[in-house]
Amino acid sequence: MKEVVQELQSVTNLPLQIDTVDTVAMENALRIYNGKAMVNSVSGKQESMDAVFPLIRKYGGVVIGLALDEDGIPATAEGRVQIAKKIIAEAAKYGIEKKDIVIDVLCMTISSEPTGAITTLEALRQVREKYGVCAVLGVSNISFGLPYRPAVNSNFYTMAMQSGLSAGIINPLSEDMMR
């Protein structure tokens, strides 16, 4: 991780996202990172928060909070919002401000969970309204296993933005998405 961060920062000044569950690798990367890294991720599991938040406090950065905990991903928007609340409250104990938290309410595929899109959109709306934090989603997760995924993804992306999505992980080469 350390070598990758050094190499990438030698050829670009674009921001990097440190994406690992290995907290030793995470700390090594954050220690040498020039600027404010985005860390992917922390969950609502106490063990995860206890490991990641001290590193964010020490080195700075923006952290992605995943709306899952010891019981997994809640089936309801309310359950996901409660985990977001827990992450935000725990982060505050470490002096991490809301502006440095991006919540991923998690997007489940509608091919196996038909109400998954509604749940995700409602969780997005509530997280933005109640807590005022930014939100991110892996948008294409919604269409996994479905035909003509680009159309599903682009329509869902529009609805997600209207529900408070700040940052979508999308395919910028998709013509449908760019429309």
Side-chain angles (χ1 to χ4, degrees):
M1 182 69 78
K2 186 177 174 182
E3 290 174 28
V4 170
V5 169
Q6 287 174 325
E7 288 295 321
L8 286 172
Q9 287 196 317
S10 73
V11 296
T12 183
N13 61 357
L14 293 172
L16 301 179
Q17 183 175 110
I18 309 301
D19 189 347
T20 181
V21 295
D22 181 334
T23 54
V24 172
M26 184 183 295
E27 182 167 18
N28 287 335
L30 288 170
R31 182 179 297 128
I32 63 159
Y33 187 81
N34 297 317
K36 189 171 187 173
M38 177 174 265
V39 174
N40 189 9
S41 61
V42 68
S43 72
K45 296 178 182 178
Q46 193 62 50
E47 179 181 357
S48 174
M49 293 185 291
D50 290 345
V52 173
F53 286 150
L55 297 178
I56 300 300
R57 177 181 59 204
K58 183 175 183 178
Y59 298 104
V62 174
V63 65
I64 296 176
L66 304 178
L68 64 90
D69 63 10
E70 289 82 3
D71 297 322
I73 302 169
T76 66
E78 294 76 21
R80 295 180 196 184
V81 171
Q82 285 304 309
I83 294 172
K85 177 182 178 181
K86 177 181 173 183
I87 291 169
I88 294 163
E90 190 70 19
K93 294 177 185 176
Y94 289 88
I96 301 165
E97 299 178 42
K98 286 183 183 181
K99 70 178 181 62
D100 291 327
I101 301 169
V102 181
I103 296 293
D104 186 339
V105 295
L106 302 172
C107 181
M108 309 305 288
T109 180
I110 55 175
S111 64
S112 64
E113 191 177 323
T115 60
I118 295 167
T119 299
T120 298
L121 296 172
E122 181 58 23
L124 273 173
R125 187 188 63 72
Q126 287 187 38
V127 163
R128 290 289 294 208
E129 286 178 4
K130 290 182 178 183
Y131 306 114
V133 294
C134 290
V136 64
L137 281 178
V139 175
S140 66
N141 292 350
I142 197 72
S143 66
F144 186 78
L146 295 176
Y148 200 56
R149 294 182 67 190
V152 175
N153 295 343
S154 64
N155 284 291
F156 179 69
Y157 186 44
T158 300
M159 291 185 286
M161 286 189 297
Q162 291 171 338
S163 297
L165 182 65
S166 312
I169 302 168
I170 64 166
N171 177 3
L173 300 179
S174 165
E175 216 174 285
D176 290 303
M177 192 61 77
M178 291 301 101
R179 268 191 244 121

